[in-house]
Each structure stands twice: as structure tokens, then as C-alpha cells.
Amino acid sequence: MKKLLVFGLTLCFLLLAACGGQQETKNTTNEKTNGTPKIASLSIHLTNDLLALGIKPAGSVVGGDLKDFLPHAKKQLSQTKKLGIAADPDMESLLALQPDVIYVDEELAGQDLSKYKKIAKTEVFNLNDGTWRDHLKKIAKHVNKEKEADQYIKNYNQEAKEVKSLIKKKIGNGKVMAIRVTAKELRVFSMKRPMGPILYEDLGLTPVDGVKKLDSKRPFEVISQEVLPDYDADAIFVVVNRDDKAQQAFKQLEKTPIWKGLKAVKKNQVYPIADQPWLDYSALGNKMALDEAKEMFSK
């Protein structure tokens, strides 16, 4: 009887182990077919496109200036391994991660893709080709999230219409511009990403004539504060860098007769916006920028 009992228990354990192994294999297979491979992202923008699709990469590069994940995405990346900065990824950390696939930005990856391909399958994205919507759709195909991408874009477009209406109530048909204040210079954003598309395409705002004349291949142009009045903007969106010197530079600019004499300043139509998420040209960044604009112009 004892021998039979031992044999019976052993058989049960073997069956349970076999079932567990099959379930583990099934789960692994489902992970692949459900579009959730172990991804290493070597672009902060691709990382945030993945987050928009509900996918948290196993590893990601960080912002060069911050040496950290972008603030609006950091919470969602608490379990994601840092892989250095985009311009110079930490190859040792990437190798240790053992990813199934590596996502790279063509512009930053350079000519030598073999070093990545030796580690894992490598997908190359040209972020200068098309819009963030195109990038999101391309990623969605790789991770079996095409329906989610379409719904995300649909929701975004609907919110953009709402925000556009709210802004119009504040500034009417006025012409706008966006500037950035750093510790050393004053910049005017062009029609190019990251700022141009969300303001002048998604939100349908009218750029001042001076912005239309800027080089469309460059994201911004450095100007002197003396030429600000030439743009004659009805409303100005202002990004001030987070460091103390940039903050001080803006305070000094606000005290000048040039700034006080601007049409937008006189009309109380100067709108401070944060560098992040507004300068993160990704599905996540643009959506969060819209959220901020909606809150700002609903007041």
C-alpha cells in the first residue's frame, strides 16, 4: 500500500510539473503573439510611443541633458533598465539585458548597426520620415497593437479639436509663435517638429509670418530679443529651460521695455509651457501636451 501511495503521489507531481511546463510555454508563446517581446529602446521618442501603446520596454536610453527618463514618462518606466544616453548607448547594459529586439533611431544609430544586430534582432526607425502618427503605426505593426494605435490617434484627433476650440475662444484668429529661453540664447520655433506640428497642424493655429519664413528643416532659429517685435504675435507660447540660469534670463527679459511692448504681452496672451512633454515629439508627449493645453485654456 505504501509503495502504491508513493507511486501515486509521484505520478501526480510529474503530471503537475508537465502541466506547469506546458502553461509556461503557452504563456511565452502568447507573449510573442500578443506583441510583447523584451524590447530595448534606444530612442526616448520610440520609448514613449511604446508607452502610448501600453508597452513598457525592458530597457531604454535616457534624456541626454537629464541623464534620466523624461519627467512625464519616468513613473511608467520605474521597472525599465537605463541604457545610457541616446547618442552613446551603454552597450554593456544592453548586452546584459538580453533583449528579444532592439529599436533604434536611424539618425542616432549611425552606419554601424551590426553591433546591435549581434545582440538581438534590430528594428530601425527613421523619425524624420512622417509624423508621430506614422511612427506609432509602424511600431504597432511590430507589436500587434494596430487597433490600439488607430484608437489612440482617433482619441488624440478628437481632443485636438476640443483644445483648438478652447484656444480660439481665448485668442480668436490671432497669429501665434513659440519661443524658448535658455541660459545663453533666445529661440523661435519653426514649423518643424517638435513644436511646429502640434501648434500649427494639430491645433490649427496660425503662425506669424516670421515663423513661416524660418528654415523648415531646422526646429528653431536663434534670435536677439530686439527682433521679437518684428514677429508681431497676438499670442506667444514660452518654454523656459528648467535650470536656474535660464529661469533668471527669462525674468530679465520680462523686465525689458521690448518685452513689455509686445502685443501678446499687452493683451495678456503669453502662455508658459514646460519643455516636457511639449518637446517630446511622440504619441505620449503630444497627448500629454494636449492635456496640459486643455487644462490651461479651460480656466
PDB file of all heavy atoms in Angstrom, residues 218-249:
ATOM      1  N   ARG A 218      14.962  73.077 -39.950  1.00  0.00           N
ATOM      2  CA  ARG A 218      15.521  73.269 -38.613  1.00  0.00           C
ATOM      3  C   ARG A 218      14.386  73.475 -37.608  1.00  0.00           C
ATOM      4  O   ARG A 218      13.402  74.135 -37.911  1.00  0.00           O
ATOM      5  CB  ARG A 218      16.443  74.489 -38.587  1.00  0.00           C
ATOM      6  CG  ARG A 218      17.735  74.308 -39.381  1.00  0.00           C
ATOM      7  CD  ARG A 218      18.506  75.627 -39.491  1.00  0.00           C
ATOM      8  NE  ARG A 218      18.666  76.291 -38.204  1.00  0.00           N
ATOM      9  CZ  ARG A 218      19.611  75.988 -37.319  1.00  0.00           C
ATOM     10  NH1 ARG A 218      20.475  75.018 -37.574  1.00  0.00           N
ATOM     11  NH2 ARG A 218      19.701  76.639 -36.184  1.00  0.00           N
ATOM     12  N   PRO A 219      14.523  72.923 -36.407  1.00  0.00           N
ATOM     13  CA  PRO A 219      13.452  73.052 -35.419  1.00  0.00           C
ATOM     14  C   PRO A 219      13.298  74.449 -34.834  1.00  0.00           C
ATOM     15  O   PRO A 219      12.231  74.809 -34.335  1.00  0.00           O
ATOM     16  CB  PRO A 219      13.841  72.046 -34.327  1.00  0.00           C
ATOM     17  CG  PRO A 219      15.330  71.903 -34.465  1.00  0.00           C
ATOM     18  CD  PRO A 219      15.604  72.043 -35.932  1.00  0.00           C
ATOM     19  N   PHE A 220      14.356  75.247 -34.893  1.00  0.00           N
ATOM     20  CA  PHE A 220      14.283  76.596 -34.334  1.00  0.00           C
ATOM     21  C   PHE A 220      15.363  77.475 -34.947  1.00  0.00           C
ATOM     22  O   PHE A 220      16.278  76.999 -35.627  1.00  0.00           O
ATOM     23  CB  PHE A 220      14.466  76.563 -32.809  1.00  0.00           C
ATOM     24  CG  PHE A 220      15.818  76.054 -32.370  1.00  0.00           C
ATOM     25  CD1 PHE A 220      16.914  76.904 -32.294  1.00  0.00           C
ATOM     26  CD2 PHE A 220      15.998  74.717 -32.036  1.00  0.00           C
ATOM     27  CE1 PHE A 220      18.162  76.439 -31.900  1.00  0.00           C
ATOM     28  CE2 PHE A 220      17.247  74.237 -31.628  1.00  0.00           C
ATOM     29  CZ  PHE A 220      18.323  75.102 -31.566  1.00  0.00           C
ATOM     30  N   GLU A 221      15.246  78.768 -34.662  1.00  0.00           N
ATOM     31  CA  GLU A 221      16.279  79.717 -35.076  1.00  0.00           C
ATOM     32  C   GLU A 221      16.595  80.607 -33.879  1.00  0.00           C
ATOM     33  O   GLU A 221      15.681  81.059 -33.168  1.00  0.00           O
ATOM     34  CB  GLU A 221      15.797  80.565 -36.243  1.00  0.00           C
ATOM     35  CG  GLU A 221      16.858  81.502 -36.786  1.00  0.00           C
ATOM     36  CD  GLU A 221      16.416  82.217 -38.057  1.00  0.00           C
ATOM     37  OE1 GLU A 221      16.069  81.522 -39.028  1.00  0.00           O
ATOM     38  OE2 GLU A 221      16.414  83.466 -38.062  1.00  0.00           O
ATOM     39  N   VAL A 222      17.868  80.843 -33.654  1.00  0.00           N
ATOM     40  CA  VAL A 222      18.288  81.730 -32.565  1.00  0.00           C
ATOM     41  C   VAL A 222      18.114  83.172 -33.006  1.00  0.00           C
ATOM     42  O   VAL A 222      18.516  83.545 -34.115  1.00  0.00           O
ATOM     43  CB  VAL A 222      19.758  81.468 -32.178  1.00  0.00           C
ATOM     44  CG1 VAL A 222      20.206  82.438 -31.080  1.00  0.00           C
ATOM     45  CG2 VAL A 222      19.941  80.024 -31.716  1.00  0.00           C
ATOM     46  N   ILE A 223      17.494  83.983 -32.152  1.00  0.00           N
ATOM     47  CA  ILE A 223      17.270  85.401 -32.478  1.00  0.00           C
ATOM     48  C   ILE A 223      17.732  86.268 -31.306  1.00  0.00           C
ATOM     49  O   ILE A 223      17.974  85.775 -30.202  1.00  0.00           O
ATOM     50  CB  ILE A 223      15.782  85.696 -32.773  1.00  0.00           C
ATOM     51  CG1 ILE A 223      14.947  85.436 -31.506  1.00  0.00           C
ATOM     52  CG2 ILE A 223      15.282  84.880 -33.950  1.00  0.00           C
ATOM     53  CD1 ILE A 223      13.536  85.982 -31.593  1.00  0.00           C
ATOM     54  N   SER A 224      17.816  87.568 -31.555  1.00  0.00           N
ATOM     55  CA  SER A 224      18.070  88.519 -30.473  1.00  0.00           C
ATOM     56  C   SER A 224      16.715  89.035 -30.009  1.00  0.00           C
ATOM     57  O   SER A 224      15.752  89.065 -30.781  1.00  0.00           O
ATOM     58  CB  SER A 224      18.936  89.681 -30.973  1.00  0.00           C
ATOM     59  OG  SER A 224      18.242  90.427 -31.958  1.00  0.00           O
ATOM     60  N   GLN A 225      16.642  89.430 -28.763  1.00  0.00           N
ATOM     61  CA  GLN A 225      15.357  89.910 -28.239  1.00  0.00           C
ATOM     62  C   GLN A 225      14.877  91.168 -28.964  1.00  0.00           C
ATOM     63  O   GLN A 225      13.669  91.442 -29.009  1.00  0.00           O
ATOM     64  CB  GLN A 225      15.457  90.159 -26.735  1.00  0.00           C
ATOM     65  CG  GLN A 225      16.517  91.168 -26.314  1.00  0.00           C
ATOM     66  CD  GLN A 225      16.584  91.326 -24.806  1.00  0.00           C
ATOM     67  OE1 GLN A 225      16.218  92.362 -24.249  1.00  0.00           O
ATOM     68  NE2 GLN A 225      17.035  90.271 -24.133  1.00  0.00           N
ATOM     69  N   GLU A 226      15.812  91.875 -29.583  1.00  0.00           N
ATOM     70  CA  GLU A 226      15.437  93.110 -30.282  1.00  0.00           C
ATOM     71  C   GLU A 226      14.500  92.874 -31.471  1.00  0.00           C
ATOM     72  O   GLU A 226      13.760  93.783 -31.867  1.00  0.00           O
ATOM     73  CB  GLU A 226      16.700  93.837 -30.779  1.00  0.00           C
ATOM     74  CG  GLU A 226      17.496  94.548 -29.684  1.00  0.00           C
ATOM     75  CD  GLU A 226      18.304  93.587 -28.819  1.00  0.00           C
ATOM     76  OE1 GLU A 226      18.525  92.441 -29.259  1.00  0.00           O
ATOM     77  OE2 GLU A 226      18.700  93.995 -27.702  1.00  0.00           O
ATOM     78  N   VAL A 227      14.546  91.659 -32.043  1.00  0.00           N
ATOM     79  CA  VAL A 227      13.701  91.401 -33.220  1.00  0.00           C
ATOM     80  C   VAL A 227      12.357  90.779 -32.848  1.00  0.00           C
ATOM     81  O   VAL A 227      11.524  90.550 -33.722  1.00  0.00           O
ATOM     82  CB  VAL A 227      14.421  90.495 -34.248  1.00  0.00           C
ATOM     83  CG1 VAL A 227      15.733  91.104 -34.670  1.00  0.00           C
ATOM     84  CG2 VAL A 227      14.621  89.085 -33.704  1.00  0.00           C
ATOM     85  N   LEU A 228      12.127  90.531 -31.572  1.00  0.00           N
ATOM     86  CA  LEU A 228      10.848  89.959 -31.156  1.00  0.00           C
ATOM     87  C   LEU A 228       9.640  90.766 -31.651  1.00  0.00           C
ATOM     88  O   LEU A 228       8.656  90.188 -32.123  1.00  0.00           O
ATOM     89  CB  LEU A 228      10.787  89.829 -29.626  1.00  0.00           C
ATOM     90  CG  LEU A 228      11.298  88.516 -29.019  1.00  0.00           C
ATOM     91  CD1 LEU A 228      11.330  88.619 -27.497  1.00  0.00           C
ATOM     92  CD2 LEU A 228      10.436  87.344 -29.452  1.00  0.00           C
ATOM     93  N   PRO A 229       9.687  92.103 -31.548  1.00  0.00           N
ATOM     94  CA  PRO A 229       8.535  92.884 -32.018  1.00  0.00           C
ATOM     95  C   PRO A 229       8.243  92.691 -33.504  1.00  0.00           C
ATOM     96  O   PRO A 229       7.090  92.867 -33.940  1.00  0.00           O
ATOM     97  CB  PRO A 229       8.953  94.338 -31.726  1.00  0.00           C
ATOM     98  CG  PRO A 229       9.953  94.224 -30.621  1.00  0.00           C
ATOM     99  CD  PRO A 229      10.702  92.961 -30.901  1.00  0.00           C
ATOM    100  N   ASP A 230       9.251  92.335 -34.301  1.00  0.00           N
ATOM    101  CA  ASP A 230       9.047  92.145 -35.736  1.00  0.00           C
ATOM    102  C   ASP A 230       8.097  90.992 -36.031  1.00  0.00           C
ATOM    103  O   ASP A 230       7.439  90.976 -37.070  1.00  0.00           O
ATOM    104  CB  ASP A 230      10.385  91.890 -36.447  1.00  0.00           C
ATOM    105  CG  ASP A 230      11.329  93.079 -36.340  1.00  0.00           C
ATOM    106  OD1 ASP A 230      10.846  94.195 -36.023  1.00  0.00           O
ATOM    107  OD2 ASP A 230      12.541  92.898 -36.554  1.00  0.00           O
ATOM    108  N   TYR A 231       8.033  90.038 -35.115  1.00  0.00           N
ATOM    109  CA  TYR A 231       7.132  88.897 -35.333  1.00  0.00           C
ATOM    110  C   TYR A 231       5.669  89.288 -35.097  1.00  0.00           C
ATOM    111  O   TYR A 231       4.760  88.662 -35.646  1.00  0.00           O
ATOM    112  CB  TYR A 231       7.528  87.728 -34.418  1.00  0.00           C
ATOM    113  CG  TYR A 231       8.778  87.028 -34.884  1.00  0.00           C
ATOM    114  CD1 TYR A 231      10.040  87.463 -34.492  1.00  0.00           C
ATOM    115  CD2 TYR A 231       8.719  85.928 -35.744  1.00  0.00           C
ATOM    116  CE1 TYR A 231      11.194  86.825 -34.926  1.00  0.00           C
ATOM    117  CE2 TYR A 231       9.863  85.294 -36.188  1.00  0.00           C
ATOM    118  CZ  TYR A 231      11.106  85.755 -35.777  1.00  0.00           C
ATOM    119  OH  TYR A 231      12.254  85.126 -36.219  1.00  0.00           O
ATOM    120  N   ASP A 232       5.453  90.297 -34.260  1.00  0.00           N
ATOM    121  CA  ASP A 232       4.115  90.877 -34.063  1.00  0.00           C
ATOM    122  C   ASP A 232       3.061  89.810 -33.742  1.00  0.00           C
ATOM    123  O   ASP A 232       1.985  89.762 -34.349  1.00  0.00           O
ATOM    124  CB  ASP A 232       3.715  91.655 -35.314  1.00  0.00           C
ATOM    125  CG  ASP A 232       2.562  92.628 -35.042  1.00  0.00           C
ATOM    126  OD1 ASP A 232       2.475  93.135 -33.913  1.00  0.00           O
ATOM    127  OD2 ASP A 232       1.745  92.849 -35.953  1.00  0.00           O
ATOM    128  N   ALA A 233       3.369  88.957 -32.779  1.00  0.00           N
ATOM    129  CA  ALA A 233       2.450  87.863 -32.434  1.00  0.00           C
ATOM    130  C   ALA A 233       1.326  88.323 -31.515  1.00  0.00           C
ATOM    131  O   ALA A 233       1.522  89.139 -30.618  1.00  0.00           O
ATOM    132  CB  ALA A 233       3.238  86.743 -31.755  1.00  0.00           C
ATOM    133  N   ASP A 234       0.137  87.768 -31.762  1.00  0.00           N
ATOM    134  CA  ASP A 234      -1.009  88.041 -30.888  1.00  0.00           C
ATOM    135  C   ASP A 234      -0.934  87.198 -29.618  1.00  0.00           C
ATOM    136  O   ASP A 234      -1.482  87.562 -28.580  1.00  0.00           O
ATOM    137  CB  ASP A 234      -2.321  87.731 -31.619  1.00  0.00           C
ATOM    138  CG  ASP A 234      -2.542  88.645 -32.810  1.00  0.00           C
ATOM    139  OD1 ASP A 234      -2.822  89.834 -32.597  1.00  0.00           O
ATOM    140  OD2 ASP A 234      -2.417  88.166 -33.954  1.00  0.00           O
ATOM    141  N   ALA A 235      -0.285  86.048 -29.729  1.00  0.00           N
ATOM    142  CA  ALA A 235      -0.121  85.150 -28.576  1.00  0.00           C
ATOM    143  C   ALA A 235       1.242  84.464 -28.680  1.00  0.00           C
ATOM    144  O   ALA A 235       1.696  84.154 -29.780  1.00  0.00           O
ATOM    145  CB  ALA A 235      -1.234  84.115 -28.529  1.00  0.00           C
ATOM    146  N   ILE A 236       1.875  84.263 -27.542  1.00  0.00           N
ATOM    147  CA  ILE A 236       3.201  83.636 -27.516  1.00  0.00           C
ATOM    148  C   ILE A 236       3.203  82.487 -26.519  1.00  0.00           C
ATOM    149  O   ILE A 236       2.807  82.647 -25.359  1.00  0.00           O
ATOM    150  CB  ILE A 236       4.296  84.655 -27.115  1.00  0.00           C
ATOM    151  CG1 ILE A 236       4.328  85.841 -28.074  1.00  0.00           C
ATOM    152  CG2 ILE A 236       5.663  83.968 -27.080  1.00  0.00           C
ATOM    153  CD1 ILE A 236       5.323  86.934 -27.671  1.00  0.00           C
ATOM    154  N   PHE A 237       3.647  81.332 -26.984  1.00  0.00           N
ATOM    155  CA  PHE A 237       3.885  80.190 -26.102  1.00  0.00           C
ATOM    156  C   PHE A 237       5.364  80.219 -25.727  1.00  0.00           C
ATOM    157  O   PHE A 237       6.223  80.319 -26.600  1.00  0.00           O
ATOM    158  CB  PHE A 237       3.536  78.878 -26.810  1.00  0.00           C
ATOM    159  CG  PHE A 237       2.053  78.699 -27.049  1.00  0.00           C
ATOM    160  CD1 PHE A 237       1.453  79.245 -28.180  1.00  0.00           C
ATOM    161  CD2 PHE A 237       1.268  77.998 -26.142  1.00  0.00           C
ATOM    162  CE1 PHE A 237       0.090  79.092 -28.407  1.00  0.00           C
ATOM    163  CE2 PHE A 237      -0.092  77.834 -26.358  1.00  0.00           C
ATOM    164  CZ  PHE A 237      -0.685  78.382 -27.492  1.00  0.00           C
ATOM    165  N   VAL A 238       5.643  80.127 -24.430  1.00  0.00           N
ATOM    166  CA  VAL A 238       7.013  80.283 -23.955  1.00  0.00           C
ATOM    167  C   VAL A 238       7.494  79.038 -23.204  1.00  0.00           C
ATOM    168  O   VAL A 238       6.877  78.615 -22.225  1.00  0.00           O
ATOM    169  CB  VAL A 238       7.149  81.500 -23.016  1.00  0.00           C
ATOM    170  CG1 VAL A 238       8.609  81.687 -22.596  1.00  0.00           C
ATOM    171  CG2 VAL A 238       6.626  82.756 -23.679  1.00  0.00           C
ATOM    172  N   VAL A 239       8.598  78.484 -23.685  1.00  0.00           N
ATOM    173  CA  VAL A 239       9.270  77.386 -22.994  1.00  0.00           C
ATOM    174  C   VAL A 239      10.532  77.961 -22.350  1.00  0.00           C
ATOM    175  O   VAL A 239      11.367  78.548 -23.042  1.00  0.00           O
ATOM    176  CB  VAL A 239       9.676  76.259 -23.967  1.00  0.00           C
ATOM    177  CG1 VAL A 239      10.440  75.169 -23.216  1.00  0.00           C
ATOM    178  CG2 VAL A 239       8.456  75.687 -24.667  1.00  0.00           C
ATOM    179  N   VAL A 240      10.647  77.812 -21.050  1.00  0.00           N
ATOM    180  CA  VAL A 240      11.852  78.267 -20.348  1.00  0.00           C
ATOM    181  C   VAL A 240      12.555  77.037 -19.780  1.00  0.00           C
ATOM    182  O   VAL A 240      11.936  76.237 -19.077  1.00  0.00           O
ATOM    183  CB  VAL A 240      11.507  79.244 -19.201  1.00  0.00           C
ATOM    184  CG1 VAL A 240      12.795  79.720 -18.520  1.00  0.00           C
ATOM    185  CG2 VAL A 240      10.698  80.424 -19.727  1.00  0.00           C
ATOM    186  N   ASN A 241      13.822  76.885 -20.100  1.00  0.00           N
ATOM    187  CA  ASN A 241      14.575  75.737 -19.584  1.00  0.00           C
ATOM    188  C   ASN A 241      14.500  75.691 -18.057  1.00  0.00           C
ATOM    189  O   ASN A 241      14.350  76.731 -17.393  1.00  0.00           O
ATOM    190  CB  ASN A 241      16.030  75.797 -20.030  1.00  0.00           C
ATOM    191  CG  ASN A 241      16.203  75.304 -21.459  1.00  0.00           C
ATOM    192  OD1 ASN A 241      15.240  75.179 -22.225  1.00  0.00           O
ATOM    193  ND2 ASN A 241      17.445  75.017 -21.822  1.00  0.00           N
ATOM    194  N   ARG A 242      14.654  74.501 -17.504  1.00  0.00           N
ATOM    195  CA  ARG A 242      14.447  74.304 -16.069  1.00  0.00           C
ATOM    196  C   ARG A 242      15.587  74.811 -15.190  1.00  0.00           C
ATOM    197  O   ARG A 242      15.405  75.018 -13.997  1.00  0.00           O
ATOM    198  CB  ARG A 242      14.223  72.806 -15.784  1.00  0.00           C
ATOM    199  CG  ARG A 242      12.977  72.251 -16.447  1.00  0.00           C
ATOM    200  CD  ARG A 242      12.914  70.740 -16.389  1.00  0.00           C
ATOM    201  NE  ARG A 242      11.780  70.253 -17.162  1.00  0.00           N
ATOM    202  CZ  ARG A 242      10.670  69.742 -16.634  1.00  0.00           C
ATOM    203  NH1 ARG A 242      10.545  69.662 -15.329  1.00  0.00           N
ATOM    204  NH2 ARG A 242       9.693  69.325 -17.418  1.00  0.00           N
ATOM    205  N   ASP A 243      16.766  74.987 -15.773  1.00  0.00           N
ATOM    206  CA  ASP A 243      17.911  75.397 -14.947  1.00  0.00           C
ATOM    207  C   ASP A 243      17.772  76.840 -14.469  1.00  0.00           C
ATOM    208  O   ASP A 243      17.078  77.659 -15.071  1.00  0.00           O
ATOM    209  CB  ASP A 243      19.216  75.222 -15.729  1.00  0.00           C
ATOM    210  CG  ASP A 243      19.253  76.052 -16.989  1.00  0.00           C
ATOM    211  OD1 ASP A 243      18.657  75.633 -18.010  1.00  0.00           O
ATOM    212  OD2 ASP A 243      19.848  77.144 -16.954  1.00  0.00           O
ATOM    213  N   ASP A 244      18.447  77.151 -13.383  1.00  0.00           N
ATOM    214  CA  ASP A 244      18.324  78.463 -12.739  1.00  0.00           C
ATOM    215  C   ASP A 244      18.725  79.613 -13.659  1.00  0.00           C
ATOM    216  O   ASP A 244      18.098  80.681 -13.653  1.00  0.00           O
ATOM    217  CB  ASP A 244      19.178  78.502 -11.467  1.00  0.00           C
ATOM    218  CG  ASP A 244      18.632  77.589 -10.373  1.00  0.00           C
ATOM    219  OD1 ASP A 244      17.431  77.244 -10.449  1.00  0.00           O
ATOM    220  OD2 ASP A 244      19.399  77.223  -9.469  1.00  0.00           O
ATOM    221  N   LYS A 245      19.786  79.405 -14.448  1.00  0.00           N
ATOM    222  CA  LYS A 245      20.262  80.482 -15.319  1.00  0.00           C
ATOM    223  C   LYS A 245      19.233  80.833 -16.392  1.00  0.00           C
ATOM    224  O   LYS A 245      19.060  82.004 -16.733  1.00  0.00           O
ATOM    225  CB  LYS A 245      21.591  80.086 -15.957  1.00  0.00           C
ATOM    226  CG  LYS A 245      22.762  80.062 -14.975  1.00  0.00           C
ATOM    227  CD  LYS A 245      24.070  79.752 -15.673  1.00  0.00           C
ATOM    228  CE  LYS A 245      25.228  79.783 -14.685  1.00  0.00           C
ATOM    229  NZ  LYS A 245      26.535  79.472 -15.340  1.00  0.00           N
ATOM    230  N   ALA A 246      18.567  79.820 -16.917  1.00  0.00           N
ATOM    231  CA  ALA A 246      17.532  80.071 -17.921  1.00  0.00           C
ATOM    232  C   ALA A 246      16.342  80.783 -17.288  1.00  0.00           C
ATOM    233  O   ALA A 246      15.776  81.721 -17.870  1.00  0.00           O
ATOM    234  CB  ALA A 246      17.090  78.761 -18.550  1.00  0.00           C
ATOM    235  N   GLN A 247      15.984  80.353 -16.096  1.00  0.00           N
ATOM    236  CA  GLN A 247      14.862  80.990 -15.385  1.00  0.00           C
ATOM    237  C   GLN A 247      15.174  82.459 -15.114  1.00  0.00           C
ATOM    238  O   GLN A 247      14.314  83.333 -15.266  1.00  0.00           O
ATOM    239  CB  GLN A 247      14.596  80.255 -14.060  1.00  0.00           C
ATOM    240  CG  GLN A 247      14.114  78.827 -14.213  1.00  0.00           C
ATOM    241  CD  GLN A 247      12.690  78.715 -14.711  1.00  0.00           C
ATOM    242  OE1 GLN A 247      11.852  79.574 -14.431  1.00  0.00           O
ATOM    243  NE2 GLN A 247      12.395  77.667 -15.472  1.00  0.00           N
ATOM    244  N   GLN A 248      16.416  82.731 -14.738  1.00  0.00           N
ATOM    245  CA  GLN A 248      16.835  84.104 -14.469  1.00  0.00           C
ATOM    246  C   GLN A 248      16.850  84.929 -15.748  1.00  0.00           C
ATOM    247  O   GLN A 248      16.456  86.103 -15.755  1.00  0.00           O
ATOM    248  CB  GLN A 248      18.223  84.111 -13.822  1.00  0.00           C
ATOM    249  CG  GLN A 248      18.685  85.466 -13.312  1.00  0.00           C
ATOM    250  CD  GLN A 248      17.765  86.057 -12.266  1.00  0.00           C
ATOM    251  OE1 GLN A 248      17.236  85.346 -11.411  1.00  0.00           O
ATOM    252  NE2 GLN A 248      17.557  87.366 -12.327  1.00  0.00           N
ATOM    253  N   ALA A 249      17.271  84.307 -16.846  1.00  0.00           N
ATOM    254  CA  ALA A 249      17.311  85.006 -18.134  1.00  0.00           C
ATOM    255  C   ALA A 249      15.912  85.448 -18.559  1.00  0.00           C
ATOM    256  O   ALA A 249      15.728  86.553 -19.090  1.00  0.00           O
ATOM    257  CB  ALA A 249      17.927  84.098 -19.202  1.00  0.00           C
TER     258      ALA A 249
END
